[in-house]
Amino acid sequence: MADYDLQMALPKDKPMLQSTSSGNWTRPDNIFCTLHTLDTFTICNTAPRCQLPCTDHIPIYSTLDLNIPQSTTTTTFNYHDVEWDEFHGRLLIHLSEYPELTAITTEEQFQIAAVNPNNALKCTIEDKVLKTKRSLHAKRWWTKELSQMLKHKNKLSAQLYKLRGLPDHPIHEEHRHYCNIVTEAIHKTKQEHWITFLKELDQQSIYMANRYVTNPIGD
């Protein structure tokens, strides 16, 4: 470390790992950087509330002030989380604003009959479908319910970290139990998504499924 003039970016005396067997807290993780890089750290600290279920290491959250060109992300409609009953009700309201369909005898009537439902659908999408900037690393199987469960788990992790010096406090058992629930929910959601994907296979996507099975990388 002296040869490369490495500096410690993480503050001292930060618990970083809780042993799954003894429950003791230790500090095995270190964040080293060169001297000219140390000034770019704006934040370097542990993030106990973000500890994943069934893990022992505390995540380390670092923010560096670097001039990096950012790629632009497109905003898309998030159809995954649409409340379809509300969507259908709003679509009927928009459709009712147009004249009822009659027998089509002219080209003008045909164009109107085609444009009106399309406009009603566009208005409904704007009203009821939220826009999102979807990450390239987002999991296709991830759901809104899992996000809510993970948010609650993060709150328990933060409480656990604050009360780590009280091993008999109920938060320890509550955190362990809820982590197991989250882990089981993730496995179940992934399995259900995979089964749904297999049921909807066609001539094109069957080759994609074969690649997933023969080269199981990632989620």
Side-chain angles (χ1 to χ4, degrees):
M1 292 187 294
D3 293 341
Y4 294 96
D5 194 19
L6 295 181
Q7 307 292 322
M8 172 66 76
L10 190 67
K12 61 180 297 187
D13 299 331
K14 286 288 184 179
M16 306 168 189
L17 180 145
Q18 184 182 26
S19 173
T20 55
S21 57
S22 65
N24 294 332
W25 288 87
T26 56
R27 299 186 293 273
D29 302 320
N30 297 305
I31 303 296
F32 291 105
C33 65
T34 55
L35 182 61
H36 74 277
T37 308
L38 186 62
D39 293 335
T40 63
F41 278 86
T42 58
I43 296 176
C44 185
N45 208 340
T46 55
R49 67 176 291 115
C50 298
Q51 183 180 5
L52 297 176
C54 300
T55 60
D56 48 10
H57 285 265
I58 300 297
I60 297 175
Y61 180 70
S62 299
T63 302
L64 284 75
D65 185 10
L66 300 175
N67 294 323
I68 302 176
Q70 297 182 352
S71 60
T72 58
T73 56
T74 58
T75 301
T76 59
F77 287 106
N78 183 14
Y79 294 100
H80 188 272
D81 295 333
V82 173
E83 296 292 342
W84 291 108
D85 290 338
E86 296 182 7
F87 184 93
H88 182 257
R90 181 58 62 90
L91 178 59
L92 292 178
I93 293 175
H94 284 301
L95 288 173
S96 65
E97 298 173 356
Y98 298 101
E100 294 184 3
L101 293 177
T102 58
I104 298 175
T105 58
T106 65
E107 181 180 354
E108 182 181 1
Q109 291 177 334
F110 174 81
Q111 294 297 335
I112 294 176
V115 170
N116 288 349
N118 188 50
N119 290 339
L121 183 60
K122 288 182 178 180
C123 292
T124 306
I125 292 175
E126 291 288 344
D127 292 343
K128 290 299 180 181
V129 183
L130 298 178
K131 291 184 178 180
T132 182
K133 291 183 178 180
R134 193 164 185 83
S135 170
L136 296 176
H137 307 288
K139 308 300 183 184
R140 293 180 179 272
W141 48 266
W142 194 263
T143 64
K144 181 169 58 177
E145 290 73 18
L146 289 178
S147 295
Q148 295 172 349
M149 294 179 68
L150 191 61
K151 184 177 181 180
H152 180 63
K153 195 284 308 172
N154 289 345
K155 292 181 180 179
L156 293 178
S157 295
Q159 295 176 22
L160 175 68
Y161 187 77
K162 291 180 180 179
L163 299 172
R164 62 185 183 277
L166 303 175
D168 296 330
H169 195 279
I171 189 63
H172 296 276
E173 177 60 24
E174 183 181 359
H175 179 267
R176 184 195 65 80
H177 178 67
Y178 197 76
C179 283
N180 292 335
I181 293 177
V182 174
T183 302
E184 183 179 353
I186 290 175
H187 290 323
K188 182 179 179 182
T189 303
K190 291 170 64 175
Q191 184 179 21
E192 291 177 349
H193 179 81
W194 174 247
I195 293 175
T196 302
F197 172 73
L198 293 178
K199 289 181 179 179
E200 298 176 352
L201 287 179
D202 54 24
Q203 293 180 348
Q204 298 296 328
S205 56
I206 193 171
Y207 295 102
M208 185 182 300
N210 179 65
R211 289 198 299 270
Y212 289 155
V213 174
T214 56
N215 189 24
I217 298 177
D219 294 325

